[in-house]
Amino acid sequence: MSKYAMVIDMDRCVACHACEVACRSHYDVPVPYYRNWVHDLRPEGVYPDIKKVSYVGLCNHCDDAPCVKACPTGATYERKDGVVVVDKDLCIGCGLCIEACPYGARYINPVIEKVDKCDFCIDRVEQGVEPACVATCIASARIFGDMDDPDSKVSQLIANGAQPNVSEKVNVGPNIYYLDSHGNFPVVQAAFPPKLPHMPTPQKMWTKVLRPLFWLAIGGTFLGQLVAFSTQLFKGESDIKE
Amino acid sequence: MEKKISRRSFLKISGTVGTGAAVGLSASTSKTKAAIRKEPKKIEKIPSTCEQCFWRCGIIATVEDGKLVNIEGNPLHPNNRGKICARGNAGVSLVYEKDRLKNPMIRVGERGSGNWKEVSWKEALDYTAEKLLAVAKKYGVESNALFSHGASGYFISDMYKFWGSPNSAAPSFAQCKGSRDVGYELTYGENLGSPERIDLSNAKVITLIGSALGENIHTGQIIDFTDGLANGAQLIAVDPRFSTAASKAKWWLPIKPGTDTALVLAWINEIINQKGYDENFVRNSTTGFSELVSHVKEFTPEWAEKITEIPASTIRETARAMMDAKPAVLVHPGRHVAWYGNDVQRARAMAILSAILGIWGQKGGYFLKSAFPASYNALNIPDAPKPKRERVDGAGYRFPFANPDEGLTQELVKATLSQQPYPIKSWMVFGQNIFNSIPNKRDTRKAIDNLDFYAVVDVRPTEPTWYADVVLPEDTYLERYDSLMTVTGWYKQYVSLRQPVVKRQHNTKPGWWIAMELGKRLGLSAYYPYNDYEDVIKYQLKDSGISFTKLKKDGVVTFPAKIYLNPGESYQFKTSDKKVHLYSKELKDLGFDPLPKYEPVNDPGKGYFRLVYGLMPVHSHGKTESNPWLNTIISEPHLWINETIGRSMGLKNDDEVIVENQDGIRSDKIKILMTPGMRPDAVFLPHGFGGNDRGLLDYTRRNVSDNNLISKYNVDPISGGTGLRVNFVRLLVDDNPLTPTVEVSMTGVSATKVSGVQQQEEQNRTFNIQPKKKESAIKEGC
Ligand code: SF4
Ligand code: SF4
Ligand code: SF4
């Protein structure tokens, strides 16, 4: 089995935003949303020790993904290869997963009224093509591959010290790793620490999921799924750890 | 496997959901189908060549049922090797940009009133030709002038040549790389071309003088640059601003703006003193070394320290790094070098530094150009007539080394203003924002008043479009053919094809067609023995051994290149005596300095800062600002200012200021970015953002253009290139000028202490993140 991961080589990245735009074009991501981002930080420090850093981010395809737990319909799930995906047909657009994600990786696509996020370009990957952001990266700063293969470049870079963006408080097993030899990654971590996942409260569950679903249920075809949602709901509530 | 559901059954289920859930989710379920991009009937992958900037990367467009859905890099293209930058990716959004010019228009109200009527192409071209001919009749053909740019600009500048007017100019020379090319030609007998023949990936030391690689993006060059750094190259970044390149550098040299030549002279001095130069190369392949030695004797690192504010020890250390790494030292020649109006001499200094390090034709240095192995059939057309009158911009005579093929835009503006040496009565502006490229746009604006006729050809409107008598809308580069792009100075030689990848969206035409149709109306039919440019390309390639079919299919055809000299091989330089001219007799004979000197720069004076500018990675000149995919990344420029200075003026990050230059010219409000990564005596304003574009564009914006504040400029007497970094600005809040209460050097506050200003913890640390409010998109339950 494969286990996909990405390494961002911060030493190579020139903050050109090509990856962000390639992703927008491949997935019709409407402005101003994004599945993949480059946040440029102001150069800071004390001369001569100044750092100019950009945070290149995307869904971390977390091992212990709060979004999966928060999703009441099972639309968001983790594949066996570690890729966390959203089944658009099951997504009801409640947005609970957005609040659960520590990395701000999800948004509601207003055109389709469904949640969208990076899926590691899994359709491309399954055809043996690199993710779009990796393919376009003009600095070869994005390396995608299989962590289960010890000879893969990602495995080697991770062995050589590439780090995920986790904090003492939040570690949900992210699979995006950052390589950095200029002391820039700590700047990213300080500016963009993973947020504590906001898991759905019973009240939100009511307003965002159950009430709308009640109307659906009248439509008559959703009863079975309602049971599934409730199961998810309990699971999601109980076993999130911080 | 993951979920036991195949895509087919998946779609089936969604159909069931759609019917069953009619009550609550009907709207969104019906959109679901649209969301999962409909299985297109026809997917085409069409290669072509990018023109979001002038690097011209190979691209592959994906077109689904006639709609362009994305653009990727062409892996076969030796320049960009499958990669493209943000702008290249955003070509999709250019095609569908709503602000594009869509129909030919003729002005009906006063000039500048914004009243046009849409007309047919025939009417627009007949009208244009009639006006141009009227000027020719009354004042002579030469009184018709052209400003052009870009790949399709060649067609129209050829048309003006065929017609007999010598008066055409492009900003690519005087506002860009002209002085660099002249400086290198005077030294080596040839310039380094575009794409530049620089072996970044194999260099052991890379020296960037004001070249902000990473913010200034040319894909092939960034591939090589980042490979070079990954291979362990040491980077010397000379820049008054902490650029992206500086953030990757071993040495950041925050030089006092305008003093670069002094630094380079001190490096040469040190390298000669340390005998760190390439003795063999200097002996066998150069002339004027002894003159150079005595010339630089006084230019010691200590001398340069006083001028550049770079410590002598740092100058020595970096000189040492270059000596030790030679010949794998890449001194980047720069690209936009129109800084101070003595830029040829700075380019000369850099060319001399590279020469004594012996980097010509060496791995990690400057590489060689090859002879193209194929030759194209030439069209059977008459020679262009010799113009009856001298060109008005002085290229080739008043400015002896200016390239007449590109001309001098600012001199053409001046001649139109003064109507000297003879009247200039019509302008055609082709694919260029003349208000954002040529300095002192007030002159440019005024000159328009002297014209009998003024036409604009462009893809999208810009500020100068507003005043046009006729507007001719051009196809985007994704909808047209252009001439073959043949590059001989690269790792592999190549010819790259631009072909339409998508049907034209509006009533637009390609540049070649516009030039041809106008030409025919001006009596130049003999120059246009074709009706379709595809036929021209086929004819050109017919006997070349390059198959048009293959080129159309692959987008590019490559040939091997010899880029390095063999060990011991000497190079025949293209100078009179086949040697590198360290000392330039050519310059001396025309009364210029035969060896480069440092010319002192003025200090801004209290409360003022030198205005420097540069590119942001997602924008090309003024071409991309309104592209929604790029505008969402950087929608407005931030004025960079030294943090300590800014604080002493009571400013915080993102505060808005008005910028006023020495002539009292003001910007609209601009947000500031305070950083220790900016010299205290300068401010930096990103280039490529709006002037007073009105009406034609659907979104309003503020006048935050750097060029608006560049009302003063110098002109290089050797090349005619402009010097644009000679303006001083101050900052105003509520009409009150701000004055720093501290004196600061790069190493810290040197005079008065920062008083009454707290070292604030900055709230908003990021500067280009848009308020992308995801939360607001979450629908509240009903
Ligand atoms: S980054 Fe966010 S969206 Fe991605 S798997 Fe982790 S929690 Fe889910
Ligand atoms: S494309 Fe590559 S270099 Fe450019 S911002 Fe993305 S990761 Fe960085
Ligand atoms: S560098 Fe970018 S904009 Fe320029 S030609 Fe290449 S892809 Fe296009």
Side-chain angles (χ1 to χ4, degrees), chain A residues 4-6 10 17 21 32 79 85 100 105 131 135 137 143 153 165 167 178 188 205 230 240:
Chain A
Y4 292 119
M6 194 182 288
M10 296 181 68
H17 295 256
V21 184
R79 295 163 38 118
V85 294
C137 176
I143 303 100
K153 198 156 173 222
N165 185 11
S167 67
Y178 293 84
V188 164
M205 223 27 175
S230 326
I240 191 74

mmCIF file of all heavy atoms in Angstrom, chain A residues 4-6 10 17 21 32 79 85 100 105 131 135 137 143 153 165 167 178 188 205 230 240:
data_model
loop_
_atom_site.group_PDB
_atom_site.id
_atom_site.type_symbol
_atom_site.label_atom_id
_atom_site.label_comp_id
_atom_site.label_asym_id
_atom_site.label_seq_id
_atom_site.Cartn_x
_atom_site.Cartn_y
_atom_site.Cartn_z
ATOM 1 N N TYR A 4 0.779 8.492 0.902
ATOM 2 C CA TYR A 4 1.279 9.679 0.209
ATOM 3 C C TYR A 4 1.592 10.836 1.148
ATOM 4 O O TYR A 4 0.925 11.032 2.167
ATOM 5 C CB TYR A 4 0.267 10.134 -0.848
ATOM 6 C CG TYR A 4 0.169 9.138 -1.997
ATOM 7 C CD1 TYR A 4 -1.031 8.505 -2.279
ATOM 8 C CD2 TYR A 4 1.297 8.823 -2.740
ATOM 9 C CE1 TYR A 4 -1.122 7.586 -3.312
ATOM 10 C CE2 TYR A 4 1.223 7.900 -3.775
ATOM 11 C CZ TYR A 4 0.007 7.287 -4.059
ATOM 12 O OH TYR A 4 -0.062 6.382 -5.074
ATOM 13 N N ALA A 5 2.617 11.578 0.777
ATOM 14 C CA ALA A 5 3.032 12.732 1.570
ATOM 15 C C ALA A 5 3.704 13.742 0.643
ATOM 16 O O ALA A 5 4.058 13.409 -0.490
ATOM 17 C CB ALA A 5 4.014 12.300 2.662
ATOM 18 N N MET A 6 3.846 14.944 1.117
ATOM 19 C CA MET A 6 4.557 15.958 0.331
ATOM 20 C C MET A 6 5.574 16.672 1.212
ATOM 21 O O MET A 6 5.333 16.906 2.393
ATOM 22 C CB MET A 6 3.582 16.985 -0.260
ATOM 23 C CG MET A 6 4.219 17.853 -1.344
ATOM 24 S SD MET A 6 3.116 19.106 -2.028
ATOM 25 C CE MET A 6 1.989 18.109 -2.988
ATOM 26 N N MET A 10 11.700 24.556 1.657
ATOM 27 C CA MET A 10 11.642 26.014 1.830
ATOM 28 C C MET A 10 12.903 26.699 1.313
ATOM 29 O O MET A 10 12.876 27.871 0.962
ATOM 30 C CB MET A 10 11.423 26.373 3.302
ATOM 31 C CG MET A 10 10.090 25.878 3.829
ATOM 32 S SD MET A 10 9.830 26.323 5.559
ATOM 33 C CE MET A 10 9.656 28.097 5.431
ATOM 34 N N HIS A 17 4.098 31.603 -6.266
ATOM 35 C CA HIS A 17 2.650 31.377 -6.304
ATOM 36 C C HIS A 17 2.185 30.569 -7.528
ATOM 37 O O HIS A 17 0.981 30.491 -7.782
ATOM 38 C CB HIS A 17 1.851 32.691 -6.258
ATOM 39 C CG HIS A 17 2.001 33.456 -4.973
ATOM 40 N ND1 HIS A 17 1.032 33.478 -4.009
ATOM 41 C CD2 HIS A 17 3.015 34.221 -4.502
ATOM 42 C CE1 HIS A 17 1.431 34.245 -3.000
ATOM 43 N NE2 HIS A 17 2.629 34.700 -3.280
ATOM 44 N N VAL A 21 -1.788 29.023 -8.329
ATOM 45 C CA VAL A 21 -2.587 29.309 -9.529
ATOM 46 C C VAL A 21 -2.854 28.023 -10.319
ATOM 47 O O VAL A 21 -3.948 27.822 -10.857
ATOM 48 C CB VAL A 21 -1.910 30.376 -10.416
ATOM 49 C CG1 VAL A 21 -2.800 30.733 -11.588
ATOM 50 C CG2 VAL A 21 -1.591 31.624 -9.611
ATOM 51 N N PRO A 32 -12.182 34.285 -4.081
ATOM 52 C CA PRO A 32 -10.840 34.334 -3.516
ATOM 53 C C PRO A 32 -10.455 33.082 -2.739
ATOM 54 O O PRO A 32 -9.594 33.132 -1.886
ATOM 55 C CB PRO A 32 -10.966 35.514 -2.547
ATOM 56 C CG PRO A 32 -12.358 35.360 -2.008
ATOM 57 C CD PRO A 32 -13.188 34.768 -3.127
ATOM 58 N N ARG A 79 -8.687 7.791 2.638
ATOM 59 C CA ARG A 79 -8.474 6.588 1.844
ATOM 60 C C ARG A 79 -7.369 5.751 2.466
ATOM 61 O O ARG A 79 -6.606 6.240 3.294
ATOM 62 C CB ARG A 79 -8.076 6.993 0.419
ATOM 63 C CG ARG A 79 -9.165 7.730 -0.340
ATOM 64 C CD ARG A 79 -8.614 8.461 -1.554
ATOM 65 N NE ARG A 79 -7.575 7.734 -2.254
ATOM 66 C CZ ARG A 79 -7.661 7.305 -3.524
ATOM 67 N NH1 ARG A 79 -8.750 7.561 -4.230
ATOM 68 N NH2 ARG A 79 -6.666 6.675 -4.074
ATOM 69 N N VAL A 85 -10.211 12.792 1.390
ATOM 70 C CA VAL A 85 -10.978 13.329 0.261
ATOM 71 C C VAL A 85 -12.403 13.664 0.701
ATOM 72 O O VAL A 85 -12.858 13.243 1.761
ATOM 73 C CB VAL A 85 -11.023 12.329 -0.926
ATOM 74 C CG1 VAL A 85 -9.641 12.129 -1.513
ATOM 75 C CG2 VAL A 85 -11.630 11.002 -0.496
ATOM 76 N N ALA A 100 -13.259 22.408 11.936
ATOM 77 C CA ALA A 100 -12.437 21.404 12.611
ATOM 78 C C ALA A 100 -10.994 21.411 12.123
ATOM 79 O O ALA A 100 -10.086 21.025 12.850
ATOM 80 C CB ALA A 100 -13.037 20.019 12.383
ATOM 81 N N ALA A 105 -7.618 24.443 5.601
ATOM 82 C CA ALA A 105 -7.423 23.855 4.280
ATOM 83 C C ALA A 105 -8.717 23.703 3.483
ATOM 84 O O ALA A 105 -8.687 23.286 2.346
ATOM 85 C CB ALA A 105 -6.758 22.491 4.427
ATOM 86 N N PRO A 131 1.005 15.657 -8.811
ATOM 87 C CA PRO A 131 0.017 16.703 -8.548
ATOM 88 C C PRO A 131 0.359 17.980 -9.335
ATOM 89 O O PRO A 131 1.527 18.246 -9.630
ATOM 90 C CB PRO A 131 0.153 16.943 -7.041
ATOM 91 C CG PRO A 131 0.680 15.658 -6.492
ATOM 92 C CD PRO A 131 1.570 15.100 -7.569
ATOM 93 N N ALA A 135 3.987 19.634 -10.379
ATOM 94 C CA ALA A 135 4.420 19.661 -11.774
ATOM 95 C C ALA A 135 4.840 21.060 -12.192
ATOM 96 O O ALA A 135 5.782 21.237 -12.952
ATOM 97 C CB ALA A 135 3.296 19.154 -12.674
ATOM 98 N N CYS A 137 5.835 23.631 -10.184
ATOM 99 C CA CYS A 137 6.746 24.372 -9.289
ATOM 100 C C CYS A 137 8.086 24.668 -9.963
ATOM 101 O O CYS A 137 8.854 23.763 -10.276
ATOM 102 C CB CYS A 137 6.980 23.599 -7.999
ATOM 103 S SG CYS A 137 8.181 24.415 -6.932
ATOM 104 N N ILE A 143 7.934 18.210 -3.355
ATOM 105 C CA ILE A 143 8.279 16.823 -3.673
ATOM 106 C C ILE A 143 7.154 15.951 -3.142
ATOM 107 O O ILE A 143 6.806 16.001 -1.968
ATOM 108 C CB ILE A 143 9.641 16.433 -3.052
ATOM 109 C CG1 ILE A 143 10.736 17.387 -3.545
ATOM 110 C CG2 ILE A 143 10.020 14.999 -3.413
ATOM 111 C CD1 ILE A 143 11.114 18.465 -2.596
ATOM 112 N N LYS A 153 11.911 9.819 -2.656
ATOM 113 C CA LYS A 153 12.568 11.056 -2.256
ATOM 114 C C LYS A 153 11.926 11.625 -0.991
ATOM 115 O O LYS A 153 12.623 12.132 -0.111
ATOM 116 C CB LYS A 153 12.518 12.071 -3.405
ATOM 117 C CG LYS A 153 13.526 13.149 -3.226
ATOM 118 C CD LYS A 153 13.942 13.826 -4.517
ATOM 119 C CE LYS A 153 14.845 15.008 -4.161
ATOM 120 N NZ LYS A 153 14.574 16.206 -4.949
ATOM 121 N N ASN A 165 4.150 20.631 10.389
ATOM 122 C CA ASN A 165 3.745 21.794 11.185
ATOM 123 C C ASN A 165 2.817 21.351 12.306
ATOM 124 O O ASN A 165 1.600 21.339 12.154
ATOM 125 C CB ASN A 165 3.063 22.822 10.277
ATOM 126 C CG ASN A 165 2.720 24.108 11.021
ATOM 127 O OD1 ASN A 165 3.172 24.314 12.149
ATOM 128 N ND2 ASN A 165 1.927 24.958 10.402
ATOM 129 N N SER A 167 2.266 21.463 16.788
ATOM 130 C CA SER A 167 2.669 22.182 17.992
ATOM 131 C C SER A 167 2.476 21.255 19.177
ATOM 132 O O SER A 167 1.943 20.151 19.027
ATOM 133 C CB SER A 167 1.815 23.437 18.158
ATOM 134 O OG SER A 167 0.479 23.061 18.435
ATOM 135 N N TYR A 178 8.216 20.013 6.000
ATOM 136 C CA TYR A 178 8.940 21.209 5.560
ATOM 137 C C TYR A 178 10.436 21.019 5.776
ATOM 138 O O TYR A 178 10.874 20.642 6.857
ATOM 139 C CB TYR A 178 8.438 22.437 6.325
ATOM 140 C CG TYR A 178 7.007 22.755 5.969
ATOM 141 C CD1 TYR A 178 5.950 22.095 6.608
ATOM 142 C CD2 TYR A 178 6.705 23.662 4.964
ATOM 143 C CE1 TYR A 178 4.635 22.354 6.258
ATOM 144 C CE2 TYR A 178 5.388 23.931 4.605
ATOM 145 C CZ TYR A 178 4.354 23.269 5.251
ATOM 146 O OH TYR A 178 3.063 23.522 4.892
ATOM 147 N N VAL A 188 7.371 30.228 10.204
ATOM 148 C CA VAL A 188 6.056 29.778 9.716
ATOM 149 C C VAL A 188 5.241 29.218 10.874
ATOM 150 O O VAL A 188 4.059 29.528 11.036
ATOM 151 C CB VAL A 188 6.228 28.706 8.617
ATOM 152 C CG1 VAL A 188 4.933 27.948 8.378
ATOM 153 C CG2 VAL A 188 6.715 29.349 7.334
ATOM 154 N N MET A 205 -24.734 21.186 15.458
ATOM 155 C CA MET A 205 -25.205 19.998 14.778
ATOM 156 C C MET A 205 -26.665 20.174 14.400
ATOM 157 O O MET A 205 -27.096 19.810 13.319
ATOM 158 C CB MET A 205 -25.054 18.830 15.760
ATOM 159 C CG MET A 205 -24.523 17.590 15.192
ATOM 160 S SD MET A 205 -23.497 17.834 13.785
ATOM 161 C CE MET A 205 -22.974 16.218 13.520
ATOM 162 N N SER A 230 -25.700 10.212 12.369
ATOM 163 C CA SER A 230 -25.713 10.253 13.832
ATOM 164 C C SER A 230 -24.553 9.438 14.393
ATOM 165 O O SER A 230 -23.884 9.843 15.338
ATOM 166 C CB SER A 230 -27.031 9.695 14.387
ATOM 167 O OG SER A 230 -28.086 10.027 13.511
ATOM 168 N N ILE A 240 -11.852 12.949 19.719
ATOM 169 C CA ILE A 240 -10.860 13.912 19.262
ATOM 170 C C ILE A 240 -9.901 14.184 20.422
ATOM 171 O O ILE A 240 -10.304 14.338 21.566
ATOM 172 C CB ILE A 240 -11.533 15.227 18.796
ATOM 173 C CG1 ILE A 240 -10.503 16.083 18.086
ATOM 174 C CG2 ILE A 240 -12.169 15.993 19.922
ATOM 175 C CD1 ILE A 240 -10.180 15.553 16.738
#
